[in-house]
């Protein structure tokens, strides 16, 4: 049985980003020391990109062997390659272009100007994940060291929105998302089974507009109604909040 989520509340979003960057560096260094490599699933949005920017400015960033780090994405807006709204584009600008990554270990989701429609793009990404999974992994995705998720005001994580078919998926690891309630409507996303393959899942929420979502998800809500409630890691689930996002929690840490 998965342990209860752990909560860490920081004074503001800037401190949350800096502290989470330090936590991520330590986790990746430990993983590389233990296994020779590490893997992380990135998230977009203001908190995900704020974390990457904080990571880039950290004096400890070079403790990570970037050449032995695998990067994946939890979801992507199905837009042309290089579009400024793509999570991959924003991640490159925030951090990735400034560190010595091995290009073969960077795994962006397919773009809309490629040869695939969204559903086929999801199948391609699922096949790439399956090819990277080893005999010690749990199923058809690697056991990610850290999988990060931003939490939307409606409790969505990745591109799993309340009530839409993607959040109900129990078999496929990656799906195309159609009719998303925020633009763009077409996306590609990991599913909850893929998310739950990670050793650690970190959920990031900052700002008053995330307070109701955090309180709902942490209250034990049904994951179809509140997808963030279904996001959990195999070993640890960590909620990283600022004071504003934690303001409606009934029991503060």
């Amino acid at each position: 049985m998965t342990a209860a989520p752990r909560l860490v509340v920081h004074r503001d979003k800037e401190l949350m980003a800096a502290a989470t960057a330090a936590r991520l560096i330590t986790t990746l260094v430990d993983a590389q020391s233990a296994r020779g490599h590490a893997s992380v699933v990135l998230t977009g949005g203001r908190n995900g990109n704020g974390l990457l920017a904080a990571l880039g400015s950290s004096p400890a960033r070079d403790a990570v062997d970037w050449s032995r780090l695998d990067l994946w994405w939890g979801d992507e807006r199905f837009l042309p390659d290089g579009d400024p709204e793509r999570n991959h584009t924003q991640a490159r600008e925030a951090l990735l272009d400034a560190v010595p990554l091995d290009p073969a270990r960077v795994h962006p989701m397919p773009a809309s100007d490629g040869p695939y429609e969204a559903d086929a793009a999801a199948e391609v990404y699922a096949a790439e994940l399956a090819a990277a999974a080893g005999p010690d992994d749990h199923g058809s995705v690697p056991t990610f060291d850290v999988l990060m998720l931003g939490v939307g005001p409606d409790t969505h994580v990745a591109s799993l929105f309340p009530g839409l078919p993607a959040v109900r998926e129990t078999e496929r690891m990656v799906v195309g998302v159609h009719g998303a309630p925020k633009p763009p409507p077409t996306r590609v996303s990991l599913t909850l089974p893929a998310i739950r393959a990670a050793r650690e899942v970190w959920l990031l929420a900052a700002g008053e507009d995330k307070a109701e979502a955090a309180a709902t998800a942490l209250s034990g809500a049904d994951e179809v109604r509140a997808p963030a409630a279904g996001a959990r890691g195999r070993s640890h689930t960590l909620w990283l909040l600022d004071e504003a996002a934690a303001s409606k929690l009934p029991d503060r840490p």
Side-chain angles (χ1 to χ4, degrees), residues 117-136:
E117 296 299 322
D119 291 337
E123 293 179 3
V124 167
Y125 205 65
E128 190 171 356
L129 285 163
D136 295 331

Side-chain angles (χ1 to χ4, degrees), residues 226-253:
R232 53 184 179 267
R234 298 185 66 84
S235 299
H236 302 290
T237 305
L238 186 63
W239 280 75
L240 297 147
L241 310 174
D242 71 351
E243 290 279 357
S247 62
K248 295 188 177 180
L249 297 179
D251 297 308
R252 291 291 302 277

Side-chain angles (χ1 to χ4, degrees), residues 23-24 44 47 50 54 76 94 101 123 134 154 182 185 209 212 249:
R23 184 186 295 272
L24 183 60
N47 292 321
E76 187 56 273
L101 293 160
E123 293 179 3
D154 60 354
K182 61 180 292 188
D209 61 328
E212 189 67 40
L249 297 179

Side-chain angles (χ1 to χ4, degrees), residues 110-245:
S112 66
D113 56 347
Y116 310 108
E117 296 299 322
D119 291 337
E123 293 179 3
V124 167
Y125 205 65
E128 190 171 356
L129 285 163
D136 295 331
D137 292 316
H138 303 274
S140 57
V141 295
T143 304
F144 312 112
D145 289 296
V146 178
L147 186 148
M148 295 184 292
L149 296 167
V151 180
D154 60 354
T155 72
H156 84 266
V157 290
S159 286
L160 305 178
F161 293 89
L164 291 191
V167 77
R168 303 175 188 269
E169 181 63 47
T170 60
E171 299 295 332
R172 291 176 294 171
M173 298 294 109
V174 191
V175 293
V177 176
H178 305 275
K182 61 180 292 188
T186 305
R187 296 155 176 258
V188 177
S189 181
L190 299 189
T191 61
L192 288 177
I195 289 169
R196 292 169 185 160
R199 288 185 178 86
E200 300 188 20
V201 169
W202 298 2
L203 297 107
L204 286 66
E208 291 183 7
D209 61 328
K210 307 294 181 73
E212 189 67 40
T216 298
L218 286 164
S219 71
D222 175 73
E223 63 194 35
V224 173
R225 183 172 70 88
R232 53 184 179 267
R234 298 185 66 84
S235 299
H236 302 290
T237 305
L238 186 63
W239 280 75
L240 297 147
L241 310 174
D242 71 351
E243 290 279 357

Side-chain angles (χ1 to χ4, degrees), residues 1-189:
M1 182 176 179
T2 304
R6 179 185 169 204
L7 274 63
V8 179
V9 178
H10 296 287
R11 183 181 64 245
D12 53 42
K13 65 180 182 181
E14 291 80 14
L15 183 58
M16 185 185 89
T20 304
R23 184 186 295 272
L24 183 60
I25 289 169
T26 299
T27 302
L28 296 179
V29 168
D30 287 348
Q32 290 179 337
S33 177
R35 294 185 301 279
H37 59 88
S39 61
V40 64
V41 179
L42 300 180
T43 185
R46 66 179 189 236
N47 292 321
N49 291 323
L51 166 60
L52 292 181
L55 186 58
S57 62
S58 170
R61 81 176 195 187
D62 291 335
V64 177
D65 185 342
W66 297 97
S67 69
R68 293 189 293 135
L69 178 65
D70 289 286
L71 293 180
W72 303 88
W73 271 262
D75 73 321
E76 187 56 273
R77 301 170 174 94
F78 199 57
L79 297 169
D81 186 38
D83 189 287
E85 293 301 309
R86 271 177 61 88
N87 290 334
H88 176 233
T89 307
Q90 295 173 4
R92 288 187 59 183
E93 293 174 351
L95 174 68
L96 306 190
D97 285 347
V99 293
L101 293 160
D102 178 352
R105 290 180 175 265
V106 179
H107 307 275
M109 289 182 166
S112 66
D113 56 347
Y116 310 108
E117 296 299 322
D119 291 337
E123 293 179 3
V124 167
Y125 205 65
E128 190 171 356
L129 285 163
D136 295 331
D137 292 316
H138 303 274
S140 57
V141 295
T143 304
F144 312 112
D145 289 296
V146 178
L147 186 148
M148 295 184 292
L149 296 167
V151 180
D154 60 354
T155 72
H156 84 266
V157 290
S159 286
L160 305 178
F161 293 89
L164 291 191
V167 77
R168 303 175 188 269
E169 181 63 47
T170 60
E171 299 295 332
R172 291 176 294 171
M173 298 294 109
V174 191
V175 293
V177 176
H178 305 275
K182 61 180 292 188
T186 305
R187 296 155 176 258
V188 177
S189 181

